[in-house]
């Protein structure tokens, strides 16, 4: 028991070094994607930006495709089940909707790394094998996100005729608003889109007068 604990403590500095190096590599790749697009994010340029050798980079990420796949996970991590965008289900519906939209925007869709991810998505179309893997991951994580969204907003499942469709629409609005950040977007336009999404969530979770509620058969 003592030996095992000692071994765990002995591995900690090495683990920290690995995590620090990987963090530098990921940050370098995201910066290059933001500043110059997919073509600029070569392994050599990423290694230079991270101040590591090309061999060290390939020790952590065996190929550019492997690194790009990791970036998808990195950008979308806040939407994972233990992520940072999901509000307390005990909050009133409107406060819950406002909190979700604000956190989702601040932590993911409005963040600089999300624009970097779009550069990667567009760029990797030229690499069918990478694009197929990224797209397969997108399909999987979208399903997880929609399920989590409806868990946080059970009123939508109870009162909207197409709850899955509404969840997909909510994320489409966030993604679309995020893509617009690649251009010059005024604060009023941006905030208007986010406020409209809050209202849509509230309305979707509110029983309509004379309506039957629930998902349609």
């Amino acid at each position: 028991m003592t030996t095992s604990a000692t071994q765990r403590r002995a591995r900690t500095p090495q683990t920290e070094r690995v995590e620090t190096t990987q963090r530098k590599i990921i940050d370098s790749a995201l910066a290059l994607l933001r500043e110059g697009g997919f073509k600029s994010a070569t392994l050599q340029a990423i290694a230079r930006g991270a101040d590591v050798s090309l061999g060290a980079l390939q020790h952590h990420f065996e190929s550019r495709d492997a690194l790009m796949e990791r970036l998808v996970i990195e950008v979308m991590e806040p939407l994972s089940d233990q992520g940072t965008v999901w509000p307390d289900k005990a909050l009133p519906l409107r406060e819950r909707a406002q909190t979700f939209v604000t956190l989702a925007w601040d932590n993911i869709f409005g963040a600089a790394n999300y624009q970097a991810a779009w550069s990667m998505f567009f760029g990797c179309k030229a690499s069918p094998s990478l694009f197929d893997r990224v797209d397969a991951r997108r399909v999987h994580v979208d399903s997880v996100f929609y399920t989590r969204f409806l868990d946080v907003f059970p009123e939508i499942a109870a009162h909207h005729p197409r709850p899955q469709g509404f969840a997909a629409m909510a994320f489409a609005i966030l993604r679309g608003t995020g893509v617009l950040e690649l251009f010059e977007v005024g604060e009023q336009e941006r905030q208007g889109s986010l406020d409209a999404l809050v209202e849509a969530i509230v309305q979707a979770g509110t029983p309509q007068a004379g309506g039957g509620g629930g998902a349609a058969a």
Side-chain angles (χ1 to χ4, degrees):
M1 187 70 116
T2 303
T3 301
S4 178
T6 301
Q7 289 173 340
R8 285 198 298 272
R9 285 196 298 272
R11 286 198 299 269
T12 298
Q14 175 63 23
T15 300
E16 291 176 351
R17 283 195 293 273
V18 168
E19 291 174 351
T20 297
T21 301
Q22 290 185 353
R23 179 78 263 153
K24 288 165 61 179
I25 292 169
I26 290 167
D27 288 346
S28 174
L30 288 169
L32 285 164
L33 287 167
R34 286 195 304 270
E35 296 162 8
F38 187 74
K39 288 184 178 180
S40 73
T42 64
L43 289 182
Q44 291 84 353
I46 293 168
R48 284 196 300 272
D51 195 25
V52 300
S53 68
L54 181 59
L57 186 154
Q58 292 174 314
H59 173 74
H60 293 279
F61 301 99
E62 62 183 19
S63 67
R64 189 185 190 213
D65 286 5
L67 175 55
M68 293 298 143
E69 287 186 69
R70 170 65 182 273
L71 296 183
V72 176
I73 299 172
E74 179 81 11
V75 171
M76 302 309 292
E77 177 63 25
L79 272 172
S80 68
D81 191 53
Q82 301 300 319
T84 58
V85 307
W86 303 110
D88 187 341
K89 290 193 290 184
L91 292 173
L93 176 59
R94 178 171 293 279
E95 186 177 351
R96 213 180 324 141
Q98 183 66 67
T99 300
F100 166 73
V101 171
T102 299
L103 291 176
W105 180 256
D106 290 347
N107 288 285
I108 303 176
F109 301 99
N113 283 351
Y114 191 67
Q115 280 75 63
W118 274 109
S119 294
M120 185 195 70
F121 296 150
F122 293 142
C124 75
K125 286 282 286 184
S127 175
S129 62
L130 173 59
F131 184 81
D132 288 347
R133 291 198 297 276
V134 169
D135 191 47
R137 179 172 290 279
R138 178 199 62 80
V139 171
H140 170 71
V141 297
D142 278 358
S143 176
V144 173
F145 297 161
Y146 299 164
T147 298
R148 180 66 167 142
F149 179 82
L150 294 175
D151 178 60
V152 170
F153 296 100
E155 300 94 334
I156 294 175
H159 302 302
H160 195 279
R162 297 287 186 273
Q164 285 285 338
F166 182 86
M169 183 195 74
F171 282 96
I173 291 171
L174 287 165
R175 291 190 188 104
T177 307
V179 171
L180 284 177
E181 293 297 300
L182 294 170
F183 308 94
E184 291 294 329
V185 179
E187 176 61 27
Q188 185 174 1
E189 179 183 358
R190 177 189 305 112
Q191 195 57 50
S193 296
L194 299 177
D195 290 345
L197 178 55
V198 172
E199 290 300 323
I201 293 172
V202 172
Q203 291 180 21
T206 302
Q208 302 301 305

